[in-house]
Amino acid sequence: MKLILALSVLISFNTFGDERNDVATSFMKALQKELMMGMKKGPKAGLIHCNDKAMPVTNSFNNDKYEVGRVSLKLRNPSNKPSEELKRALLDYSSSSAKNKMDAKVILLSNKEEVFVKPLYMKGACLNCHGANLSAGVKNELKKRYPSDEAIGYKLGDFRGLVWVKKR
Ligand code: HEC
């Protein structure tokens, strides 16, 4: 029992100390900063701001050392479509929730590349734009900007998707 405990601490510590985890955290923080700036004027303004900024922020984290992105089974921006292998990972995580979290992990792809993935769960603020009761303003903007949007109807704590980080 003690050994199992020690091992699991070691494993989670290893993921925690993984530099890819730091990159994933900085990436999410940068997106959250934009989200908060946009939301100051309400959810509709926030949505327009995210529509503007999400991709440029993502691209700014893609450099000669790392490749990063977000994927989901229910997409808003079609460019976040998962590869077959990331889709499998998404399915693995899809039964988890904020109350029943799964840890970040490293996936080995068939081409031997490693991808670090970290789950995202729905918080209260997320529901303004991904929940079941959207304001009329948000609904209208979604229709205009993301006509094939699938990323709505989430509840608090739902698994939303993965942040992924690959070392080049
Ligand atoms: C103000 C509206 C708004 C809020 C609040 C919001 N999002 Fe989003 N979300 C968006 C928009 C707009 C996009 C598409 C961005 C783009 O064009 O790349 C998006 C895309 C995403 C994606 C990428 C996958 C996809 O479907 O394209 C994830 C993952 C995501 N949001 C998670 C979250 C989480 C987690 C929260 C809460 C911490 C959150 N969102 C809060 C508007 C919002």
Side-chain angles (χ1 to χ4, degrees), residues 14-79:
N14 269 347
T15 318
F16 186 70
D18 193 316
E19 59 190 292
R20 291 168 292 192
N21 189 44
D22 299 340
V23 174
T25 305
S26 314
F27 172 41
M28 291 323 294
K29 274 195 181 150
L31 282 174
Q32 242 160 43
K33 193 176 145 205
E34 293 297 342
L35 183 64
M36 274 160 63
M37 268 166 60
M39 291 279 282
K40 274 186 192 155
K41 289 187 189 151
K44 182 182 159 186
L47 189 115
I48 295 170
H49 192 72
C50 287
N51 173 233
D52 254 13
K53 298 285 183 198
M55 276 306 161
V57 168
T58 306
N59 293 336
S60 74
F61 277 81
N62 278 291
N63 51 39
D64 50 0
K65 271 189 94 180
Y66 299 103
E67 225 180 308
V68 309
R70 292 184 298 169
V71 287
S72 176
L73 291 169
K74 295 209 290 177
L75 287 175
R76 176 152 293 169
N77 183 338
S79 27

Side-chain angles (χ1 to χ4, degrees), residues 4-5 9 12 16 18 20 25 35 41 54-55 73 78 82 89 116 118 120 126 135 154 159 162:
I4 294 173
L5 215 86
V9 167
S12 53
F16 186 70
D18 193 316
R20 291 168 292 192
T25 305
L35 183 64
K41 289 187 189 151
M55 276 306 161
L73 291 169
F116 176 90
K118 192 171 187 171
L120 297 168
C126 315
S135 70
Y154 285 95
F159 171 65
L162 294 168

